Amino acid sequence: MVGNVQVGGDALPSVQSMTNTATSDPQATLEQIQRLADAGCEIVRCAIPNKEALEGFEQIAKASPLPVVADIHFDHELAIEAARRGAAKLRINPGNIGSMDRVDEVIDAAKEAGIPIRIGVNSGSLQKEIDKMDIPLSEKLAKSALAFVEHFENRGFTDIVISAKASNVREAIEAYRLIAQETEYPLHIGVTEAGSTFAGTVKSAVGLGTLLEEGIGDTLRVSLTADPVDEIEAAYEILSALDIRRNRAEVISCPTCGRCQVDLIDIARQVNERLDEVPQHLKLAVMGCVVNGPGEAREADYGIACGKGSGILFAHGEPLRKVAEEDLVDELFTEIAGSC
Ligand code: SF4
């Protein structure tokens, strides 16, 4: 459990992100956490780079609507202190904490606070002996993660989540596959340093999508060089593409072609922006023409198929009525509101 969020077991994969405001600024951070929560984020992580951030962290953890994970590198004392100041989970990379004795102190602090630890591994925080081996990075990541897990178990601590992130998608996939073969601990999946919104979403969709389709992954973060809220949208797109879970209605829209005589890109944008108004199990179609529109989108619950200056509103592949172009989006949502 991370706060009130179950990770692993029979729980669906949870969606998380990380704030990019200064943790020493609780007001700005809490505002961002609220935006993340509104977007459907379930667990949030804050960096604690120094002692000043600890003060902020305590206030954030107290007031946050989401469980807050303390993200610590290098300094085990910050981790110990974060556990005492309300962290719902600690994230450390044991490979960069300095020594396993220091890791043990962190383990003991988590035990005392009753909170889990994410054991993180990336190419910069491999177990030293394993790093020297002449094996692929994916194997180094998996072996390191499992070696750290064993250390935690020997210390009597099993409340753990594992992550083994690589920026190369195929290496990340392979590392997680290897770990999943060896252990049943919950896995936090992600592709690290994935990139800006477009490239990072595609990379994450390929990496996380492959893993999730294989049943691997209990909580996910899509790492983007962007507003963290974009990470939540991307995560849900990945989960909903695989029919695992969704947090809003699905929109299918045609790619447009020479038959299209309206600004369909703008119409699709408007529909996407108003999805909060409709039940999330619905599928809405936005089609550029009446020739193929309703037929192509037969599986949609509701949709619009545009013509020249007007369009047809349809439900389950059957036309309902003709509507002027400028009223199409409003009429679509009025129709749905009237039938739900
Ligand atoms: Fe072209 Fe019509 Fe198909 Fe859209 S629905 S791609 S406009 S044929």
Side-chain angles (χ1 to χ4, degrees):
M1 299 299 298
V2 180
N4 57 358
V5 180
Q6 183 182 329
V7 177
D10 56 6
L12 290 169
S14 49
V15 171
Q16 55 177 294
S17 183
M18 189 165 180
T19 52
N20 61 8
T21 46
T23 308
S24 54
D25 183 347
Q27 197 188 336
T29 305
L30 283 165
E31 275 171 23
Q32 191 169 67
I33 291 174
Q34 189 59 54
R35 286 176 55 232
L36 285 165
D38 291 345
C41 182
E42 294 161 310
I43 298 170
V44 69
R45 186 155 45 107
C46 297
I48 304 188
N50 50 41
K51 289 216 170 69
E52 294 71 65
L54 271 177
E55 305 290 329
F57 181 83
E58 191 167 11
Q59 292 181 45
I60 293 162
K62 230 177 240 150
S64 168
L66 301 177
V68 188
V69 181
D71 185 273
I72 290 116
H73 290 286
F74 313 123
D75 188 341
H76 70 297
E77 284 178 1
L78 292 175
I80 292 164
E81 204 46 45
R84 292 180 183 143
R85 295 192 190 204
K89 178 173 97 178
L90 301 178
R91 177 272 172 108
I92 58 165
N93 290 5
N96 73 20
I97 288 293
S99 73
M100 292 316 282
D101 287 345
R102 289 180 175 179
V103 171
D104 285 344
E105 289 182 48
V106 178
I107 293 174
D108 294 347
K111 209 187 280 178
E112 202 176 313
I115 56 172
I117 298 180
R118 162 148 71 103
I119 299 177
V121 181
N122 57 29
S123 59
S125 56
L126 296 164
Q127 207 250 22
K128 283 190 188 73
E129 298 307 311
I130 294 167
D131 194 15
K132 289 180 200 145
M133 293 179 182
D134 187 21
I135 52 174
L137 177 62
S138 54
E139 283 182 45
K140 287 185 184 181
L141 290 165
K143 274 183 189 294
S144 293
L146 294 167
F148 290 132
V149 166
E150 201 182 328
H151 181 95
F152 277 60
E153 286 173 336
N154 291 339
R155 189 84 185 169
F157 192 86
T158 54
D159 195 4
I160 52 189
V161 184
I162 307 168
S163 69
K165 295 193 182 181
S167 55
N168 177 283
V169 175
R170 296 179 70 205
E171 277 169 345
I173 292 171
E174 195 50 31
Y176 278 107
R177 278 181 180 150
L178 291 169
I179 294 169
Q181 277 167 17
E182 297 295 327
T183 176
E184 301 216 321
Y185 286 114
L187 300 184
H188 165 121
I189 56 171
V191 174
T192 194
E193 293 127 24
S196 52
T197 303
F198 189 75
T201 300
V202 173
K203 279 171 86 172
S204 297
V206 173
L208 306 191
T210 302
L211 289 167
L212 290 164
E213 185 59 11
E214 293 175 15
I216 298 171
D218 301 284
T219 182
L220 61 147
R221 184 206 176 182
V222 175
S223 300
L224 299 177
T225 313
D227 184 333
V229 170
D230 290 358
E231 301 188 344
I232 304 306
E233 285 185 28
Y236 278 103
E237 286 296 339
I238 295 168
L239 289 167
S240 71
L242 293 167
D243 292 327
I244 294 173
R245 58 184 300 205
R246 63 181 78 251
N247 73 339
R248 56 182 194 165
E250 184 181 0
V251 177
I252 51 174
S253 51
C254 86
T256 73
C257 72
R259 292 182 193 86
C260 185
Q261 294 179 289
V262 294
D263 184 355
L264 197 75
I265 296 171
D266 190 57
I267 291 173
R269 182 190 56 76
Q270 290 181 48
V271 171
N272 272 295
E273 278 177 5
R274 292 180 59 175
L275 291 180
D276 288 347
E277 297 174 28
V278 302
Q280 53 180 251
H281 66 269
L282 292 182
K283 192 181 266 193
L284 312 184
V286 179
M287 307 302 280
C289 78
V290 284
V291 181
N292 290 329
E296 277 184 35
R298 206 176 294 277
E299 78 273 28
D301 297 294
Y302 296 90
I304 49 183
C306 301
K308 190 172 183 191
S310 67
I312 287 171
L313 211 58
F314 64 91
H316 310 288
E318 298 299 325
L320 296 175
R321 59 184 178 276
K322 195 171 164 183
V323 178
E325 182 183 340
E326 59 275 17
D327 299 328
L328 269 171
V329 177
D330 279 340
E331 287 273 334
L332 172 70
F333 284 95
T334 307
E335 178 66 33
I336 299 170
S339 347
C340 291

